């Protein structure tokens, strides 16, 4: 299954061929809600955006003509709040994969709002979008000389107690630093003495989190793109672009429901990814959150430089 292709007119009047996805991902590659809301909604009004292949640099045109649903990914979606009603009026459904970590004392995420502010934003989003529309992610789980399994469980518990009643799901993943050389380099440059997870530490963490969850919150627990089977602890494998959740939130959209009925796993994602087909419109090396473990930035400096370039001309066809 592929995205339909259609002819569109560009800003300068050219006629080009564009992909016209049903579901848009905004975005695994950068935090569009936090930093590129005005750009995104300007492009939505104009009907298309340009996405550049991160490997070849080749541009592709992405039309929003057929779009019925958006999955947002963010660590600070507060700037999205004023735009949610616009989506609703346009008949476009959405939910938010909200990464809400607590690495405040470690300074792993230096440019985020305070934890209290981020929790309040989560609650506001749920109040507006409704139950199930904001998915909590504690992602990634990092072990270091200052962060143990006990530390992580304490951090999760502190947030979970405040999100009880606002979410029914917690998605997590174990930091796989060895697979991403630039992540290791960035962590070392930030002075983080990290430790890799192994099977025994993953199982210990999963067992203890499951016990806590059963006693206190009753969340659905799920992992993102993890090979280790944790179903013995009641922990499922997540689908972040999730056809079941999209269907629940869009039960009156026959076009979208027909698409979901035959939707296949997105082969363009990691091998263990369970997401269905969508089109991501983000760009790597553009998120200035400065998270020390980030896989999407070559370095915080390069991301900041690209963000400054964007700010100098924020309404181009592409983010950069």
């Amino acid at each position: 299954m592929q995205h339909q292709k259609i002819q569109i007119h560009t800003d300068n009047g050219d006629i080009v061929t564009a992909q016209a996805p049903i579901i848009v991902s905004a975005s695994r590659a950068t935090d569009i809600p936090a930093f590129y809301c005005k750009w995104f909604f300007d492009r939505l009004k104009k009907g298309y955006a340009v996405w550049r292949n991160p490997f070849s640099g080749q541009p592709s045109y992405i039309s929003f003509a057929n779009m019925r649903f958006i999955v947002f990914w963010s660590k600070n979606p507060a700037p999205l709040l004023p735009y949610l009603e616009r989506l609703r009026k346009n008949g476009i459904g959405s939910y938010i994969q909200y990464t809400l970590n607590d690495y405040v004392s470690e300074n792993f995420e230096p440019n985020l709002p305070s934890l209290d502010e981020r929790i309040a934003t989560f609650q506001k989003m749920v109040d507006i979008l409704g139950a199930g529309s904001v998915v909590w992610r504690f992602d990634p789980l990092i072990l270091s000389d200052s962060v143990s399994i006990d530390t992580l469980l304490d951090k999760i518990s502190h947030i979970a107690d405040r999100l009880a009643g606002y979410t029914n799901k917690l998605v997590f993943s174990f930091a796989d630093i060895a697979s991403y050389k630039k992540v290791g380099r960035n962590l070392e440059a930030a002075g983080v003495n990290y430790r890799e997870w192994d099977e025994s530490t993953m199982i210990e963490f999963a067992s203890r989190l499951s016990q806590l969850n059963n006693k206190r919150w009753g969340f659905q627990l799920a992992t993102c793109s993890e090979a280790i089977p944790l179903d013995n602890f009641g922990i499922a494998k997540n689908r972040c672009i999730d056809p079941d959740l999209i269907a629940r939130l869009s039960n009156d959209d026959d076009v979208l429901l027909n698409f979901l009925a035959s939707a296949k796993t997105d082969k363009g994602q990691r091998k263990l990814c369970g997401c269905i087909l969508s089109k991501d419109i983000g760009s790597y090396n553009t998120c200035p959150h400065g998270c020390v473990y980030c896989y999407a930035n070559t370095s915080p400096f390069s991301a900041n430089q690209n963000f400054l370039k964007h700010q100098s001309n924020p309404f181009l066809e592409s983010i950069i």
Side-chain angles (χ1 to χ4, degrees), residues 228-249:
I228 187 169
L230 299 174
D231 47 300
N232 287 345
F233 305 109
I235 300 173
K237 293 184 183 297
N238 199 52
R239 306 180 80 180
C240 301
I241 310 290
D242 183 350
D244 295 331
L245 178 56
I246 294 171
R248 288 201 301 274
L249 298 175

Side-chain angles (χ1 to χ4, degrees), residues 251-282:
N251 57 13
D252 59 348
D253 188 332
D254 291 337
V255 172
L256 180 56
L257 292 175
N258 288 337
F259 171 81
L260 295 173
S262 59
K264 300 292 192 299
T265 301
D266 188 344
K267 300 301 182 184
Q269 302 304 320
R270 292 175 292 173
K271 184 178 180 180
L272 295 170
C273 180
C275 291
I276 62 167
L277 184 69
S278 65
K279 181 57 193 164
D280 200 295
I281 61 168

Side-chain angles (χ1 to χ4, degrees), residues 153-173:
L153 291 170
D154 286 345
K155 291 175 180 294
I156 288 172
S157 297
H158 174 69
I159 298 173
D161 288 342
R162 297 178 65 182
L163 293 187
Y166 286 92
T167 187
N168 57 12
K169 192 172 192 178
L170 167 57
V171 179
F172 63 91
S173 71

Side-chain angles (χ1 to χ4, degrees), residues 14-308:
D14 293 338
I15 299 175
V16 299
T17 300
Q19 298 178 59
I22 300 288
I23 301 171
V24 164
S25 170
S27 157
R28 293 179 180 91
T30 194
D31 197 326
I32 286 177
F35 300 110
Y36 301 101
C37 260
K38 289 183 179 180
W39 171 83
F40 177 76
F41 283 92
D42 177 70
R43 295 319 307 173
L44 189 61
K45 183 177 180 180
K46 291 173 179 172
Y48 79 97
V50 171
W51 173 80
R52 295 187 184 279
N53 185 297
F55 303 104
S56 68
Q58 291 297 310
S60 296
Y61 290 90
I62 313 299
S63 169
F64 300 127
N66 294 343
M67 184 178 69
R68 317 294 285 215
F69 205 93
I70 305 170
V71 177
F72 292 106
W73 311 68
S74 187
K75 292 179 180 175
N76 176 27
L80 190 60
L81 285 165
Y83 296 96
L84 294 176
E85 184 59 28
R86 189 181 306 183
L87 289 179
R88 190 170 296 172
K89 286 181 178 179
N90 289 334
I92 300 169
S94 66
Y95 65 79
I96 301 169
Q97 294 281 350
Y98 192 158
T99 299
L100 181 52
N101 301 334
D102 175 8
Y103 290 124
V104 176
S105 59
E106 295 79 15
N107 202 33
F108 288 172
E109 301 169 329
N111 299 324
L112 291 177
S114 71
L115 181 59
D116 285 345
E117 188 175 341
R118 286 179 283 137
I119 291 172
T121 294
F122 192 108
Q123 294 167 339
K124 289 176 188 175
M125 288 285 178
V126 174
D127 289 341
I128 294 171
L129 291 174
S133 295
V134 188
V135 179
W136 178 28
R137 306 174 71 90
F138 198 110
D139 179 27
L141 297 163
I142 297 174
L143 291 176
S144 74
D145 56 359
S146 64
V147 181
S148 65
I149 290 175
D150 286 338
T151 309
L152 289 169
L153 291 170
D154 286 345
K155 291 175 180 294
I156 288 172
S157 297
H158 174 69
I159 298 173
D161 288 342
R162 297 178 65 182
L163 293 187
Y166 286 92
T167 187
N168 57 12
K169 192 172 192 178
L170 167 57
V171 179
F172 63 91
S173 71
F174 303 104
D176 183 10
I177 299 163
S179 298
Y180 298 93
K181 291 182 179 179
K182 62 185 175 183
V183 174
R185 288 196 301 269
N186 288 338
L187 285 169
E188 290 165 6
V192 178
N193 296 315
Y194 64 85
R195 292 186 288 127
E196 291 281 3
W197 292 85
D198 57 24
E199 185 172 335
S200 65
T201 51
M202 291 180 190
I203 289 174
E204 179 188 349
F205 175 85
S207 173
R208 293 177 61 186
L209 177 63
S210 179
Q211 291 172 28
L212 269 174
N213 184 56
N214 290 338
K215 290 178 183 177
R216 294 169 64 173
W217 313 299
F219 296 143
Q220 301 171 32
L221 300 179
T223 58
C224 180
S225 295
E226 293 291 350
I228 187 169
L230 299 174
D231 47 300
N232 287 345
F233 305 109
I235 300 173
K237 293 184 183 297
N238 199 52
R239 306 180 80 180
C240 301
I241 310 290
D242 183 350
D244 295 331
L245 178 56
I246 294 171
R248 288 201 301 274
L249 298 175
S250 307
N251 57 13
D252 59 348
D253 188 332
D254 291 337
V255 172
L256 180 56
L257 292 175
N258 288 337
F259 171 81
L260 295 173
S262 59
K264 300 292 192 299
T265 301
D266 188 344
K267 300 301 182 184
Q269 302 304 320
R270 292 175 292 173
K271 184 178 180 180
L272 295 170
C273 180
C275 291
I276 62 167
L277 184 69
S278 65
K279 181 57 193 164
D280 200 295
I281 61 168
S283 298
Y284 289 117
N285 281 312
T286 61
C287 180
H289 278 318
C291 302
V292 297
Y293 54 78
C294 183
Y295 71 91
N297 291 339
T298 303
S299 70
F301 177 79
S302 64
N304 281 325
Q305 289 300 108
N306 283 328
F307 180 59
L308 291 173

